[in-house]
Amino acid sequence: MSELTQASVTERLAGNVYEVDEGNSHIEVNQEIAQATGTGKLLVKVCPAHVYSEEPDGTIAVEYAACLECGTCLAVAAPGALTWHYPEGGMGIMFREG
Ligand code: SF4
């Protein structure tokens, strides 16, 4: 009898392939609105890929190359705090199933 194992989230994500559009981020944070509305801290908390991080001066850094294109950040961002679109030209993440 074979034993089935369940892959961890990290193991599953490791199977994905990213085509990074170098120098052309598909995510932009409006720092003023993000800080004024608390959106910046929310982005850091909710993103499953840890795309967002808070710098010591309170600004939000964006590592767009790791984006899973899940849309969670769009659901929590205050109006005007975040500009997000799918990566252009077929770039971005390609999910592997299984
Ligand atoms: Fe993070 Fe998902 Fe937003 Fe990409 S779309 S930045 S993975 S929350």
Side-chain angles (χ1 to χ4, degrees):
M1 177 182 240
S2 66
E3 185 174 315
L4 296 176
T5 59
Q6 187 170 10
S8 70
V9 171
T10 302
E11 289 169 334
R12 287 174 183 264
L13 291 176
N16 296 326
V17 176
Y18 297 82
E19 288 285 337
V20 179
D21 195 357
E22 298 288 348
N24 188 22
S25 178
H26 63 288
I27 305 170
E28 189 174 323
V29 175
N30 181 309
Q31 300 291 341
E32 281 186 20
I33 297 175
Q35 285 191 18
T37 61
T39 292
K41 292 186 185 305
L42 280 175
L43 295 175
V44 173
K45 278 187 183 174
V46 304
C47 176
H50 307 293
V51 166
Y52 304 100
S53 58
E54 187 172 14
E55 300 288 343
D57 66 358
T59 60
I60 302 300
V62 179
E63 293 290 335
Y64 70 95
C67 179
L68 301 171
E69 301 173 25
C70 67
T72 306
C73 54
L74 293 172
V76 301
L82 187 65
T83 302
W84 192 104
H85 59 81
Y86 284 106
E88 297 174 3
M91 305 292 252
I93 191 167
M94 285 174 277
F95 290 100
R96 295 285 169 91
E97 295 181 23

